C-alpha cells in the first residue's frame, strides 16, 4: 500500500507568478483535501475533492483552485502569488463518503514566494 | 477566531512518565476529534480519534479523553518515549461536513531520556 506523495518538495516563486502542486492519494482513497500550514500555525483547510468534484472549500480566495483526476490524484493551483502564500502545502487523502474521518497526509510542499 | 485551541506551545517530560496534551474547542457543532503527530519535514500522522458519543478512546500507550460539557479534550501518552518527541495537533470536524478538519496550532512535546 503506497502512502500519499507530493511534488515538488520545495519551490521558490516570485510574487505574481502561478504555481501548480501535485498530490497522489493513498491507494484505495477517493478523496483529497488540501491544507495550508503557515509557520507556527496548524494546517488550514483550503478545499476538498471527492470523485473529481469540489466537495467543500475553506476561507481561501478563488485564485486557489484545484483539480482531481480519474485516478484520484490531485493538483492545487495558485495564481497571482502573494508573499503571504509562503507556507507548507499539505495534501491529505481519505476514503470519503461513509469511509470515516481519518485523513492521511503527505510530506508537503514548501512554497516560498519572494 | 480560533475554534480549536492548544494553549501550551510546548511541553517537556521525562522518559517513562505521563505526557498530557490539552485541547479546547468553541464550536459546539464539532462532533469528531482527532490527534495528529508531526515530525520535522514530514506530514502529520494520524494518531487517535474520538467521537462525541464517547468520553474515552484507548490505543496502546495513547488515550484520548473528551469532556463535552467543558469542550475539552486531552491526549495521554503513557509511558512517554523519546521517539514521541514531535508536534502534536488536535483537530475537529462537524458531522456531515465533508470531513473538513479544523486544527489547533500544535504543542511541541519533548521527551527527555
Amino acid at each position: 500500500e503506497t502512502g500519499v506523495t507530493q511534488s515538488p518538495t520545495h519551490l521558490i516563486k516570485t510574487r505574481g507568478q502561478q504555481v501548480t502542486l501535485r498530490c497522489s492519494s493513498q491507494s484505495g482513497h477517493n478523496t483529497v483535501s488540501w491544507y495550508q500550514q503557515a509557520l507556527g500555525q496548524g494546517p488550514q483547510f483550503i478545499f476538498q475533492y471527492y470523485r473529481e468534484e469540489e466537495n467543500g472549500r475553506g476561507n481561501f480566495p478563488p485564485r486557489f483552485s484545484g483539480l482531481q483526476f480519474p485516478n484520484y490524484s490531485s493538483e492545487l493551483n495558485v495564481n497571482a502569488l502573494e508573499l503571504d502564500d509562503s507556507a507548507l502545502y499539505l495534501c491529505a487523502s481519505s476514503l470519503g463518503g461513509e469511509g470515516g474521518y481519518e485523513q492521511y497526509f503527505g510530506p508537503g510542499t514548501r512554497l516560498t514566494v519572494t | 477566531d480560533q475554534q480549536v485551541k492548544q494553549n501550551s506551545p510546548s511541553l517537556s517530560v521525562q522518559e517513562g512518565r505521563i505526557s498530557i496534551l490539552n485541547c479546547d474547542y468553541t464550536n459546539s457543532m464539532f462532533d469528531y476529534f482527532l490527534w495528529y503527530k508531526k515530525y520535522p519535514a514530514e506530514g502529520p500522522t494520524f494518531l487517535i480519534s474520538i467521537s462525541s458519543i464517547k468520553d474515552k478512546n484507548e490505543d496502546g500507550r495513547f488515550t484520548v479523553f473528551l469532556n463535552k460539557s467543558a469542550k475539552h479534550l486531552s491526549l495521554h501518552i503513557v509511558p512517554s518515549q523519546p521517539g514521541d518527541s514531535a508536534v502534536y495537533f488536535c483537530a475537529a470536524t462537524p458531522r456531515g461536513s465533508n470531513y473538513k478538519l479544523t486544527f489547533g496550532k500544535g504543542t511541541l512535546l519533548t521527551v527527555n531520556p
Side-chain angles (χ1 to χ4, degrees):
Chain A
E1 180 182 274
T2 52
V4 179
T5 60
Q6 291 186 244
S7 62
T9 307
H10 296 90
L11 202 51
I12 299 174
K13 289 285 190 178
T14 303
R15 191 170 49 182
Q17 286 188 316
Q18 179 265 343
V19 70
T20 297
L21 311 182
R22 294 179 174 83
C23 170
S24 291
S25 59
Q26 184 166 312
S27 175
H29 287 181
N30 57 16
T31 300
V32 173
S33 303
W34 285 92
Y35 292 81
Q36 180 196 67
Q37 186 181 10
L39 206 60
Q41 304 293 316
Q44 265 199 293
F45 178 75
I46 303 174
F47 45 56
Q48 182 183 88
Y49 280 82
Y50 172 62
R51 294 183 176 175
E52 302 178 59
E53 297 284 332
E54 188 177 289
N55 184 39
R57 188 176 186 94
N59 191 24
F60 281 80
R63 58 189 186 84
F64 285 78
S65 63
L67 279 175
Q68 188 180 31
F69 300 100
N71 66 354
Y72 303 130
S73 65
S74 176
E75 283 182 358
L76 164 66
N77 299 291
V78 188
N79 293 322
L81 283 166
E82 300 176 1
L83 296 178
D84 284 349
D85 295 334
S86 295
L88 180 68
Y89 288 85
L90 294 161
C91 163
S93 75
S94 54
L95 283 169
E98 296 303 314
Y101 292 90
E102 289 81 14
Q103 297 184 14
Y104 297 86
F105 285 83
T109 293
R110 171 73 60 188
L111 173 64
T112 303
V113 182
T114 62
Chain B
D1 178 37
Q2 270 225 296
Q3 297 185 58
V4 176
K5 299 177 186 179
Q6 294 178 255
N7 292 319
S8 298
S10 63
L11 174 68
S12 183
V13 300
Q14 285 299 121
E15 181 178 3
R17 307 293 285 267
I18 185 171
S19 295
I20 300 176
L21 297 107
N22 293 305
C23 177
D24 297 295
Y25 62 96
T26 57
N27 188 340
S28 21
M29 298 300 290
F30 287 149
D31 90 327
Y32 200 84
F33 305 89
L34 306 90
W35 284 94
Y36 282 84
K37 176 172 74 173
K38 187 177 186 301
Y39 294 118
E42 294 184 13
T45 302
F46 170 71
L47 206 51
I48 192 169
S49 61
I50 188 166
S51 163
S52 61
I53 62 172
K54 296 185 176 181
D55 54 21
K56 177 182 173 182
N57 188 27
E58 203 168 344
D59 183 1
R61 297 186 297 115
F62 303 92
T63 303
V64 55
F65 295 92
L66 175 62
N67 181 336
K68 280 186 298 183
S69 60
K71 293 192 175 70
H72 176 83
L73 62 156
S74 60
L75 174 68
H76 293 210
I77 306 173
V78 184
S80 300
Q81 299 173 353
D84 296 329
S85 297
V87 177
Y88 288 77
F89 290 101
C90 170
T93 182
R95 186 177 320 183
S97 74
N98 67 19
Y99 312 128
K100 161 193 166 182
L101 296 178
T102 300
F103 282 84
K105 289 187 177 183
T107 297
L108 173 63
L109 172 66
T110 303
V111 180
N112 301 302

